[in-house]
Amino acid sequence: MTPSRPLMSRRNRLHIAQLLVLSLVLFLALPERPASAGANLIANPGLESMAPDGFPVCWEKSGYGNNGHTFEVSTDAHSGARSMAVTLTNAGEGDRKAMMLEDTSCAPNVTPGHQYDLSVWYKTSTPNTVMTVFRHDVAQGWVYWTDLATLPVTTAWTRQSVRTPQIPANTDQIVWGVTIYGNGTLKTDDYTMVDATQTVPDASCSAGVKCVKGDWQVMPFQSAVRAIHAVVLRNGDVLLIAGSGNDPEAFAAKSFKTAIYRPGSGTFTAVPTPEDLFCAGHVQLKDGRILVMGGNKDYSAPDGSHGYKGLKNSYIFDPGTNSYQRVNDMTGGSWYPSATIMGNGDVISLGGLGEDSSGTVLTQYFDESEGRWLGVGETRQTWSFWGLYPSMILMQDGRLFYTGSHVFGNGLPGSGASIYDYGSATITPVNGLRKKDERDQSMSVLLPPAQDQKVLTMGGGNNETNPDAHRLTDLIDLKQPSPVYTAGPQIPQGTLTGGVPQTGDQGKMYVSAVLLPDGKVFETGGALHNRADPVYEASMYDPATNTFTAGMATDPVPRGYHSSAFLLPDGRVMAVGDNPGNGTFDMRVSVYSPPYLFKGARPQITGMSTPNWAYGSSNTITVDGPILKAELIRPAAVTHSSDPNQRFVDLPMTVTGNTISLNLTSNPNLAPPGWYMLFVVGTNGVPSVAKWVKVG
């Protein structure tokens, strides 16, 4: 279960007169807090001062759900005379929390962008115990923020320390404590919270405009294949799949291609390709192999008697052998199918065209433990058509969010976005998506960090009516009880062929969006119309401020239909592909170095206790200097402006000099099992080269 959920019942509030009494008690009972750095920011950290209701001042009996529980003040203390004890006896639903009071006089004040070291002494008899933080948003009020660390079972008083991520914008206070969501008893005492933010040295940069815009390089070689699909493998190589590459003559000749690109050497290795995997679906399994599903059974007939037909065939690509291995067929043909990995490692595929050229209404489910696609009768069905390459993002509660991004034509009937619950086979509409019928090859991303559960959908057009592509972005917070899209900032405008500036509401479709190690999103590529009129523009989106920085360096190669951009383990972004309406395909490869690569030395990960990380675990690394943050980024599996599995998972830190413990979430829906790139970011904002970590 999810150890701490954002949907919380409203907490008990003290009467205003009682708050006045508490303020007086605080004033009399607590020593004056020093103003110097390193001061403990917590009121009543040792739980020694008692409120008139018999509970510690500035602490509350918190939690939600229908469960058996008790709160008490215990004499079994780490220091002083008191600790707080929480017992769960029937943990069927929800949780209980040893939590600070959400009150102006009690909650510690914080500074956006700063990080804080939190520590608590505890005992717990259940492993279902986590440190939890809420934040006060100046616009939204108190909201759930994140779980920081899972606390191991211990019968002796044990200290748990952790460093928060950077405080989000618009946050002025936080409260935190310890959540228990399994049967057992939790005791806590002696809380501390200290501002750990280090003064950032002058980020001097001598690279001129590259310090602000970054820099593109077009490689002195071309791709070995038409790169319709790109997957970053667990060893840092890139799998480029063409199949027939949108070339009917290659299809007729059964000339199907795949290549492995090695960024370190600039070399390509051909891979025998058994079927036309053109416009298949793909996803990384938890062991790092790639499940490839469906593809092209036939091109549209010249006489119009049938359209494209979907393959039923499915394969697993093994990076250990660089070869495809056949698995059982899907239950129906799939051309342009989605592919989303679930928290248990299974895969759900929806949408696409079937073997008869019509839209498939099958829900197709790959059981990872059995290594096979389940039959129709073994899979929960809604018999709904989801369009082509519907963007389906896994939510923290295990449901899927259909963002409204798709390929070809109009969006689905209704509001254009929805939440799909496979377990109950239900679909709930989501409102607020603007121009839902002009989201053809828009792109949607789960913003950094995944714990925030915010999705941004940007750009799009319509290949049938072919209007000017638009600039719209829409943002949604999936933690809300009834999530609704709200308008985001517009994509900056660029130039068309010949340097002609975009005007009015002109934006782009075929847009690419890449999550970067510094927590920003790089937006690049695109075209104004269906397979025509490339747009030369790139920008940097900052989730913390919900703003775009315009004027990033632009790829000199047009990147429209059948283009992709994705993150490499060295922190650069690689871009491939462009397939305009005349049938040609641009084989050039471009690589973008973001501005952070020109701002100083990279931090180094000099050691790692293990590359195998269990959920809820603390994992030790060593570094060569101060670190601002650390995160896991899931490697790309992208095609047609679609990579619904792309995600950035924050890793709260416990810092002891150059030894850092990184705390992985206990919720597999936030970090589905598989191989991830581990980055650390130095205080100068420069990321390390990634190390590879296997989650789950």
Side-chain angles (χ1 to χ4, degrees), residues 30 63 191 201 249 279 314 384 386 400 474 679 687:
L30 298 177
Y191 289 73
E249 293 183 1
C279 297
S314 186
S384 301
W386 291 93
L400 296 179
D474 289 293
F679 290 95

Side-chain angles (χ1 to χ4, degrees), residues 15 74 167 226 274 290 334 374 425 452 504 537 546 552 597 683 691:
H15 189 273
S74 173
I167 300 295
R226 291 186 166 199
I290 310 302
S334 291
L374 301 184
D452 282 358
E537 180 275 335
N546 189 28
M552 294 295 110
L597 291 181
T683 54
K691 299 288 187 181

Side-chain angles (χ1 to χ4, degrees), residues 8-13 63:
M8 303 290 293
S9 60
R10 191 170 184 86
R11 298 186 180 181
N12 295 328
R13 298 296 183 198

